[in-house]
Amino acid sequence: MPESKLNRITDAEPADSRWNWLYRLGGAGALLTVALLPIQIGVFIAWPPPGFQPTSSAVIGHFAVLHHHALLGLINLDLLLIVDQVLAIPIALALYIVLRRASESFMLLATALSLVAITAYLASNTNFSLLSLSDQYAAATTDAGRSLIVAAGLALMAIYTGAAFRVSYFLGSIAMIMVAVVMLRSNIFSRLIAWVGILASVIGLGLFVPRIGLYLAFLSLPFLVIWDILIARRLFQLGRGKPDGTAEP
């Protein structure tokens, strides 16, 4: 038997029913992530956001939407992505438990990077602070007062689009690549899932390419959807007690 095939078999983690609830929770999180994506895209298409650059016109535009349609304004400012980040926590933990036998140190590092990425994103999203400022802006009675509120909004928008978001995006992509590489060493997940994850992450890192970065990031979305669906399917199988050493086709 080829050595690579032998390594994949001996790295399998014996089934452990103690973690079935976490596998199911991670699977549900992955499916909910997929379900939220068309909602976010649909809102962006139907009601395009005022802009994401820290400019006075963009800030005032967001204030107007947030004041009159709070939920729409929050979704335009990635409310659903906050939900996605929270859902990513049980997914990351479930993948660690499943794959730790294949490479415990690698999975520990990948999980730590994932959690740091999630924390950085949650810290960078200032949508609820902007919601509060939108009410203050609507209630302001002087130009000087409105100018101060817009200045505060500019600072929050700068945080929202600044370094923390980019750090979060980069660390999350690297963590996903690391998890996929471990999958290639294990027979718990198929090679298809692993390569889809690697492809999604590598294409997604194109965000940092000047001028076309945003388009490359959007190009990675179909692969991320496939990844989440396949991950959910496998985690639900494990949650039902299917032996960890049996990868789906």
Side-chain angles (χ1 to χ4, degrees):
M1 178 180 295
E3 183 179 355
S4 60
K5 181 66 173 179
L6 179 61
N7 287 341
R8 281 173 57 81
I9 292 177
T10 56
D11 282 336
E13 174 80 19
D16 190 340
S17 60
R18 293 179 305 166
W19 301 108
N20 286 353
W21 66 272
L22 181 59
Y23 300 152
R24 292 192 291 267
L25 187 61
L31 287 184
L32 283 174
T33 299
V34 173
L36 291 175
L37 182 60
I39 299 175
Q40 181 77 76
I41 294 175
V43 169
F44 271 21
I45 293 174
W47 299 279
F52 295 106
Q53 295 303 316
T55 64
S56 296
S57 60
V59 169
I60 293 173
H62 281 293
F63 283 169
V65 178
L66 286 166
H67 182 67
H68 295 290
H69 308 282
L71 180 58
L72 174 61
L74 290 172
I75 293 176
N76 273 335
L77 290 168
D78 291 333
L79 174 64
L80 299 184
L81 191 52
I82 292 178
V83 178
D84 287 343
Q85 295 296 311
V86 175
L87 294 174
I89 296 174
I91 298 172
L93 295 177
L95 291 175
Y96 170 74
I97 295 299
V98 174
L99 292 167
R100 68 189 188 276
R101 181 65 61 86
S103 179
E104 188 165 11
S105 58
F106 218 56
M107 283 305 301
L108 184 61
L109 179 58
T111 305
L113 290 178
S114 294
L115 296 178
V116 170
I118 293 167
T119 302
Y121 180 79
L122 294 178
S124 73
N125 192 298
T126 56
N127 57 8
F128 286 103
S129 297
L130 287 166
L131 175 63
S132 177
L133 285 180
S134 72
D135 293 332
Q136 296 177 41
Y137 183 83
T141 57
T142 65
D143 290 340
R146 284 190 287 269
S147 295
L148 288 174
I149 296 170
V150 170
L154 286 169
L156 290 175
M157 286 295 292
I159 294 172
Y160 173 59
T161 58
F165 169 77
R166 293 180 176 273
V167 169
S168 170
Y169 190 93
F170 178 77
L171 293 181
S173 298
I174 296 301
M176 188 170 171
I177 292 173
M178 293 175 68
V179 170
V181 169
V182 175
M183 286 179 177
L184 291 174
R185 294 191 55 211
S186 165
N187 70 330
I188 304 170
F189 292 89
S190 71
R191 290 185 176 273
L192 173 62
I193 298 178
W195 283 114
V196 167
I198 292 172
L199 190 59
S201 300
V202 171
I203 295 175
L205 285 171
L207 176 69
F208 300 100
V209 177
R211 296 187 180 182
I212 64 170
L214 188 60
Y215 299 103
L216 292 175
F218 277 117
L219 186 61
S220 71
L221 289 179
F223 299 100
L224 288 172
V225 168
I226 295 171
W227 161 271
D228 281 325
I229 292 173
L230 294 177
I231 288 293
R233 176 173 178 264
R234 187 60 182 133
L235 287 176
F236 280 130
Q237 289 176 341
L238 296 172
R240 292 195 300 267
K242 186 171 182 178
D244 291 359
T246 305
E248 74 279 22

